[in-house]
Amino acid sequence: MQPPTEDVIEIQQLLARYAVGMTKDDVEAVMDVFTPDGSYSAFGDEYTLSDFPTLVAAAPKGLFLVGPPVLDLDADTGTGEQPLCFVEQTNHDMRIGWYTDTYRRTEKGWRLNTRAMTFLRRSGSRDSGRAHDPTRPAPTGG
């Protein structure tokens, strides 16, 4: 069954705000698309919202290109996947893969509850556990 069009559009806009926020290095905009108990998982670690300012500051800067998400919504919760191509600004190196998300409808509208990154490696492997940047912070667990 197709999810309601208005919910699809709202979530597409939510995910666009994430991508534009990351592209513009606007951590507040990125944090605003998550539920207060939201988290981001990559590199074998899970980061809570309190970790986002340090995590985003340590991340390489560049362009976050995302495709339309595939959504499965059930009333006020849902899951989805969204392809990503990140192009680093200073050398145009790319990172590609997809996000696996959970969503929850809140008083502020739809929000990401969890977002996990899976990278597509040159070797042909698919994983989320190897750091690209040794300077990235460890999660604080807060």
Side-chain angles (χ1 to χ4, degrees):
M1 185 167 104
Q2 278 295 104
T5 301
E6 58 273 7
D7 288 341
V8 171
I9 292 170
E10 184 178 344
I11 292 172
Q12 286 176 335
Q13 287 298 296
L14 178 80
L15 300 178
R17 287 195 304 275
Y18 176 93
V20 170
M22 288 297 292
T23 297
K24 293 172 71 176
D25 196 23
D26 182 351
V27 70
E28 295 298 323
V30 172
M31 292 173 65
D32 189 53
V33 304
F34 282 86
T35 60
D37 63 341
S39 66
Y40 173 79
S41 299
F43 318 116
D45 291 317
E46 182 176 312
Y47 296 88
T48 62
L49 233 49
S50 64
D51 293 319
F52 278 37
T54 305
L55 182 63
V56 172
K61 307 309 174 220
L63 178 62
F64 279 71
L65 295 171
V66 292
V70 174
L71 301 172
D72 183 13
L73 305 179
D74 183 17
D76 293 337
T77 62
T79 60
E81 293 182 309
Q82 183 181 39
L84 164 74
C85 176
F86 169 74
V87 181
E88 193 167 341
Q89 181 176 347
T90 60
N91 56 22
H92 291 185
D93 283 350
M94 290 191 299
R95 296 178 189 170
I96 58 175
W98 71 91
Y99 293 118
T100 301
D101 300 326
T102 64
Y103 313 103
R104 191 166 58 214
R105 192 189 316 260
T106 71
E107 292 177 359
K108 295 169 110 181
W110 283 100
R111 292 293 184 268
L112 277 165
N113 184 236
T114 63
R115 175 157 264 204
M117 182 67 203
T118 301
F119 296 98
L120 296 172
R121 305 292 186 185
R122 288 181 184 171
S123 67
S125 68
R126 299 162 184 228
D127 66 72
S128 59
R130 196 178 90 219
H132 287 285
D133 182 355
T135 64
R136 80 178 159 76
T140 63

